[in-house]
Amino acid sequence: MARAACTLCGDEERGILKRRPCSLRVEAFRDAASAMEQEKEILLEMIHNIQNSQDMRHISEGEREELNLTANRLMGRTLTVEVSVETIRNAQQQESLLHATKMIDEIVNKLLDDLEDSKIRLMSLYGACTSDVPAGPIDQKFQSVVIGCAIEDQKKIKRRLETLLRNLENSEKSITLLEHQKSSVRQSCNSKQD
């Protein structure tokens, strides 16, 4: 009798050991799929940046057309890849995610109206998502909303804010370059008139 119990106990332990590697593989699989989602976002951003690069102004029309065709083809191919990792959320986490998304979207919708204020507000939202000491103020309300989100959603919110801030930075650089080019052209025209 004692021997049967010991055998049963051994089978149970072996079952647990078999489930653990399976659990680890499932998590590794989800992590790999999540990394693929991120890679898709990075590729789309990279292609978009190439299409809107200031360098496109300094190449011939034929080269520009060829680069745009290639970029459009790559964009289309990238968009055909569908990778989705669903996050399991309870009702409170779902509500928090919707609220956080709404807060970000409200700022994004006002970007063109007031670029500087929108950038400051996005930076305060980003400060609420990072464990590092932020350079500016932290939006405490947003921080409490994000804390209510699932961990995977918190990471996605932070990545979205990083992307928005990076795109704003690139836009500001482009505007600065355009303004510099305009002032150089004006100076050149004024010196020719003298």
Side-chain angles (χ1 to χ4, degrees):
M1 191 75 154
R3 187 173 183 103
C6 192
T7 304
L8 180 62
C9 188
D11 289 342
E12 188 175 313
E13 287 172 356
R14 279 192 291 271
I16 290 171
L17 290 175
K18 287 179 184 177
R19 282 189 296 256
R20 182 171 170 91
C22 184
S23 176
L24 292 174
R25 287 185 67 183
V26 167
E27 286 310 307
F29 175 66
R30 287 180 59 84
D31 290 344
S34 182
M36 288 179 70
E37 278 182 325
Q38 289 175 37
E39 180 65 13
K40 180 180 177 180
E41 291 172 15
I42 290 167
L43 286 169
L44 291 172
E45 184 179 350
M46 188 184 309
I47 294 165
H48 179 74
N49 287 341
I50 289 169
Q51 288 178 312
N52 296 309
S53 169
Q54 288 296 316
D55 295 337
M56 292 288 275
R57 296 173 184 262
H58 304 294
I59 59 176
S60 72
E61 184 65 34
E63 289 175 315
R64 188 170 30 256
E65 186 177 330
E66 185 178 334
L67 270 173
N68 274 323
L69 287 171
T70 302
N72 288 335
R73 182 180 57 79
L74 291 173
M75 181 78 74
R77 289 183 54 78
T78 304
L79 289 171
T80 63
V81 177
E82 290 293 326
V83 180
S84 179
V85 178
E86 297 298 320
T87 301
I88 300 168
R89 303 174 189 92
N90 62 32
Q92 187 266 329
Q93 290 171 327
Q94 181 67 34
E95 186 178 322
S96 293
L97 175 62
L98 291 173
H99 191 77
T101 301
K102 182 180 175 189
M103 292 174 79
I104 296 169
D105 289 344
E106 286 173 358
I107 296 171
V108 169
N109 290 335
K110 295 177 183 175
L111 259 172
L112 294 176
D113 297 334
D114 190 350
L115 185 65
E116 192 57 38
D117 181 59
S118 296
K119 181 179 178 182
I120 290 168
R121 291 182 63 205
L122 285 172
M123 288 173 68
S124 73
L125 297 186
Y126 179 73
C129 295
T130 183
S131 57
D132 299 333
V133 178
I138 295 174
D139 187 316
Q140 300 290 329
K141 182 179 176 188
F142 185 74
Q143 188 175 46
S144 66
V145 170
V146 171
I147 288 171
C149 294
I151 297 293
E152 290 171 346
D153 291 329
Q154 290 177 19
K155 292 175 185 176
K156 287 181 181 180
I157 289 168
K158 182 179 178 184
R159 276 197 316 271
R160 180 178 180 205
L161 289 168
E162 288 170 341
T163 300
L164 286 168
L165 287 168
R166 194 169 45 253
N167 288 341
L168 274 175
E169 184 71 28
N170 290 338
S171 296
E172 287 177 337
K173 286 178 184 175
S174 294
I175 290 169
T176 303
L177 282 171
L178 284 173
E179 288 175 353
H180 178 71
Q181 287 174 347
K182 285 180 184 177
S183 68
S184 296
V185 169
R186 277 190 219 120
Q187 287 175 354
S188 175
C189 289
N190 288 341
S191 65
K192 287 180 182 178
Q193 288 176 353
D194 294 338

